[in-house]
Amino acid sequence: MNKENFNHLIGKTRREIKNELGDEFNYFKNPIWTYELGRTWLGKKIILSLTFKDGKVNEVLVFKTFRRR
């Protein structure tokens, strides 16, 4: 899963993201929302991170980690 797969989310509002991806324990007013997309064969979590600016997605990051949230 690459960042390019989620570039279509840039410019969407929180409500549009919520409708497309769900809540996933994100506080509505928080400027950063995260979603667990899956795991690698080693057990690393694949995380989608969305950063909001002025109510719309400004930055999309996809990273892998062993850490908890």
Side-chain angles (χ1 to χ4, degrees), residues 19-48:
N19 289 337
E20 189 168 335
L21 300 175
D23 283 337
E24 192 84 19
F25 303 109
N26 290 307
Y27 179 63
F28 195 77
K29 297 284 184 174
N30 195 346
I32 299 173
W33 283 11
T34 58
Y35 292 90
E36 185 175 333
L37 300 175
R39 292 182 182 258
T40 66
W41 66 277
L42 284 174
K44 280 187 175 183
K45 293 180 183 178
I46 303 170
I47 305 292
L48 170 66

Side-chain angles (χ1 to χ4, degrees), residues 5 8 12-13 15-16 18 26 29 31 34 37 42 45 48-49 51 54 56 60 63 65-66 68:
N5 296 347
H8 69 280
K12 290 193 174 188
T13 65
R15 291 204 187 277
E16 292 172 325
K18 184 178 170 185
N26 290 307
K29 297 284 184 174
T34 58
L37 300 175
L42 284 174
K45 293 180 183 178
L48 170 66
S49 175
T51 304
D54 298 328
K56 295 190 178 187
V60 175
F63 59 93
T65 184
F66 281 119
R68 292 183 155 196

Side-chain angles (χ1 to χ4, degrees), residues 3-17:
K3 177 183 169 187
E4 291 79 29
N5 296 347
F6 299 99
N7 279 340
H8 69 280
L9 299 175
I10 293 177
K12 290 193 174 188
T13 65
R14 285 180 167 90
R15 291 204 187 277
E16 292 172 325
I17 297 297

